[in-house]
Amino acid sequence: MPSPASTSADSDDKILMTGHRRARIVEQVQREGSMRVADLAARFDVSEVTIRSDLVILEREGRLLRDRGGAVAKGSHHFVTSLLGVDQRASLHLDKKRRIGAAAAQRVSPGDAILIDAGTTAVEIARQLTHVSPLTVVTNALNVALELGAAAGQRLIMLGGTFNRESASTVGALTEQSLAELSVQKLFLGTQAMDADGLTDSTMEIAQAKRAMIRSARQVILVTDSSKWGTSSLTKVCPLTEVDTIITDNELPADARTQIEALGIELVLV
């Protein structure tokens, strides 16, 4: 049997290893902006259960923010929205999203056929459209469909596909095939991140769905709050030049306004 002294030493070593791992987790999350549980488990060669336990402790200590899928750095905008759940994202910049939604809804007329992307800003558009009739709305977003499903005089087309929990929307081959058969006047597009080079999103499936939406629309209207500018995510969606109009809040930096307008894109600040 091991001696009490050796047992105590082993226990101390485990505590040191755990503390070292947690410190490195914080460093990694701060460096990347966000990390998923599976990636952290692989990087530190421990189980996902262990990582989740670490994240609980680290959040309790105020060293990072925990999400169902991983963790995000405190005070970081980089990748944050791609990890936060839909309910959590809905409360971020809510007043700005409502103003953007109202401005976007003003561009919809009775008789239009429109496409609304998934996102917490997109649902604010839907809330402004319940009285517009007749109207055809195509969407892959569950929250948008729930807002408009009971609206009288509206035709709601819900795109099929694989349910994506991160965006609460459908994605995949079925979604893209359906979009290939449709033609709408206006697309109200959301984004996880953007800069002068273009739009990026968190997964390839979401990015592919957005590209299919762009191909189905005659006019692409990007609806996003200004916090998304200057951030980036994993997968490229499209160059900024594929967007016709950007509706955002008036806190967009001056250099961003200059770059957007230089590309010939209509910029609406609310």
Side-chain angles (χ1 to χ4, degrees):
M1 293 181 60
S3 67
S6 65
T7 301
S8 177
D10 290 344
S11 178
D12 289 344
D13 286 344
K14 288 180 180 177
I15 292 172
L16 287 171
M17 288 175 61
T18 300
H20 179 65
R21 183 181 65 250
R22 289 174 181 168
R24 296 218 19 227
I25 288 171
V26 173
E27 291 174 2
Q28 192 68 42
V29 171
Q30 288 176 338
R31 184 181 304 115
E32 299 292 336
S34 71
M35 290 290 292
R36 296 190 179 280
V37 167
D39 294 334
L40 287 168
R43 181 157 301 190
F44 294 102
D45 195 25
V46 294
S47 70
E48 293 189 13
V49 172
T50 296
I51 291 296
R52 288 192 179 95
S53 176
D54 288 340
L55 297 183
V56 169
I57 299 299
L58 291 170
E59 183 180 51
R60 191 178 299 159
E61 294 174 352
R63 299 166 72 184
L64 49 70
L65 297 174
R66 189 166 53 96
D67 175 69
R68 287 169 292 183
V72 295
K74 293 193 71 174
S76 170
H77 293 296
H78 184 64
F79 281 99
V80 168
T81 53
S82 67
L83 268 177
L84 291 174
V86 173
D87 290 342
Q88 292 169 287
R89 294 202 307 268
S91 64
L92 297 174
H93 314 293
L94 182 56
D95 181 62
K96 295 175 183 178
K97 291 175 182 177
R98 286 173 173 166
R99 297 201 311 266
I100 293 165
Q106 291 176 4
R107 297 190 168 227
V108 179
S109 302
D112 278 352
I114 66 171
L115 176 54
I116 302 181
D117 186 16
T120 53
T121 303
V123 77
E124 295 300 332
I125 302 173
R127 288 172 179 155
Q128 299 284 335
L129 294 177
T130 54
H131 65 285
V132 180
S133 176
L135 182 66
T136 298
V137 179
V138 182
T139 188
N140 68 334
L142 293 188
N143 54 2
V144 171
L146 287 171
E147 287 293 334
L148 295 174
Q154 292 190 5
R155 182 186 185 196
L156 177 64
I157 300 174
M158 184 72 196
L159 296 169
T162 302
F163 180 65
N164 181 280
R165 289 178 177 81
E166 184 175 302
S167 59
S169 66
T170 54
V171 296
L174 288 175
T175 307
E176 295 163 36
Q177 289 168 11
S178 298
L179 286 164
E181 298 178 4
L182 297 173
S183 177
V184 299
Q185 281 120 340
K186 302 178 183 77
L187 161 62
F188 294 96
L189 182 70
T191 187
Q192 291 287 0
M194 67 173 180
D195 56 24
D197 292 328
L199 313 183
T200 53
D201 220 294
S202 55
T203 72
M204 188 174 294
E205 293 79 10
I206 293 174
Q208 288 172 336
K210 289 180 185 293
R211 287 196 289 270
M213 290 181 180
I214 291 169
R215 291 192 295 269
S216 298
R218 299 173 202 166
Q219 182 182 11
V220 179
I221 302 170
L222 181 66
V223 287
T224 182
D225 66 83
S226 61
S227 71
K228 305 290 181 62
W229 181 264
T231 64
S232 62
S233 198
L234 180 65
T235 308
K236 293 180 180 179
V237 176
C238 69
L240 205 58
T241 50
E242 291 198 27
V243 173
D244 299 297
T245 301
I246 297 177
I247 302 177
T248 188
D249 61 85
N250 54 19
E251 292 184 20
L252 187 72
D255 64 327
R257 303 181 192 188
T258 301
Q259 292 177 71
I260 290 168
E261 290 172 344
L263 293 172
I265 300 169
E266 179 188 16
L267 180 61
V268 179
L269 302 176
V270 295

